Amino acid sequence: AQTVTQSQPEMSVQEAETVTLSCTYDTSENNYYLFWYKQPPSRQMILVIRQEAYKQQNATENRFSVNFQKAAKSFSLKISDSQLGDTAMYFCAFMKQGGSEKLVFGKGTKLTVNP
Amino acid sequence: GAGVSQSPSNKVTEKGKDVELRCDPISGHTALYWYRQSLGQGLEFLIYFQGNSAPDKSGLPSDRFSAERTGGSVSTLTIQRTQQEDSAVYLCASSTRGLRYEQYFGPGTRLTVT
């Protein structure tokens, strides 16, 4: 079974600064995807960024980028130029390719961006 | 287009009662997932539907939980004889067959069992 660990229950950052959220995972699979989801107080889960395990290049989406270290099974999220609207819970998730392709989530990191 | 919708948004029920939670996936999405988000367990997978295939029920926590998907579209999650530990947010997600890694989530139903 796969497990996802987020070791930082809470983090805070000043507006316009950069913050990095950590995630590690455990799997014996070779083909999988990794995700970061954002959940604001509205409860809506929003996909922030996705990484395919077979790709060596780290994914980037505007101010969001990841540091994917496959051998270390690490998948951190960097948020640059933090904005107040980035305040939310952030969940790291794993999906094995094939089968039902369900998401396995970490416990989440509560990020607060301070003005 | 319309996203995934869920109803009701909030549900309060008494212990022992049955509840039904509804999910309307994005039109054309053949895959549908239910997840549960609770304080103690975090986010956990419950059940997966894909077209006419047999559902993957491996995440259902007990036989009090069941789900069905009618006509390959709307899904209903039923919890019988609710217990206080069933209190949680129930999230539904859908995706297309070829892009199952892109799951779109609904806003969830917050269930409170008193």
Side-chain angles (χ1 to χ4, degrees), chain A residues 9-27:
Chain A
E10 291 191 41
M11 293 192 73
S12 63
V13 64
Q14 292 299 122
E15 197 174 6
E17 297 291 306
T18 295
V19 63
T20 299
L21 308 184
S22 300
C23 173
T24 58
Y25 59 96
D26 188 24
T27 185

Side-chain angles (χ1 to χ4, degrees), chain B residues 75-91:
Chain B
S75 177
T76 302
L77 178 68
T78 301
I79 309 173
Q80 295 179 311
R81 305 181 302 282
T82 51
Q83 304 294 313
Q84 287 187 329
E85 61 263 29
D86 300 334
S87 294
V89 174
Y90 291 82
L91 294 166

Side-chain angles (χ1 to χ4, degrees), chain A residues 21-79:
Chain A
L21 308 184
S22 300
C23 173
T24 58
Y25 59 96
D26 188 24
T27 185
S28 59
E29 302 290 333
N30 198 43
N31 299 316
Y32 53 88
Y33 300 98
L34 294 163
F35 307 84
W36 280 97
Y37 278 89
K38 170 185 177 180
Q39 187 180 43
S42 66
R43 293 199 310 243
Q44 186 83 46
M45 294 286 280
I46 302 164
L47 177 63
V48 174
I49 200 165
R50 180 186 75 244
Q51 175 80 41
E52 290 89 340
Y54 67 86
K55 289 187 177 179
Q56 291 186 337
Q57 187 172 6
N58 290 322
T60 299
E61 288 287 342
N62 301 311
R63 297 182 295 107
F64 299 88
S65 62
V66 298
N67 183 3
F68 173 47
Q69 302 289 328
K70 190 172 184 179
K73 295 179 182 172
S74 170
F75 183 62
S76 61
L77 174 70
K78 185 171 83 171
I79 306 174

Side-chain angles (χ1 to χ4, degrees), chain B residues 13-17 36 38 64-65 79-88 90 111-114:
Chain B
T13 190
E14 293 180 352
K15 178 182 172 181
K17 297 284 178 94
R36 180 170 71 173
S38 57
R64 295 185 297 105
F65 287 73
I79 309 173
Q80 295 179 311
R81 305 181 302 282
T82 51
Q83 304 294 313
Q84 287 187 329
E85 61 263 29
D86 300 334
S87 294
Y90 291 82
L111 175 66
T112 304
V113 182
T114 61

Side-chain angles (χ1 to χ4, degrees), chain A residues 1-5 25-32 94-97 102-105:
Chain A
Q2 291 78 31
T3 59
V4 178
T5 302
Y25 59 96
D26 188 24
T27 185
S28 59
E29 302 290 333
N30 198 43
N31 299 316
Y32 53 88
F94 171 100
M95 177 193 285
K96 181 185 79 168
Q97 267 190 278
K102 60 196 177 193
L103 289 164
V104 176
F105 289 91

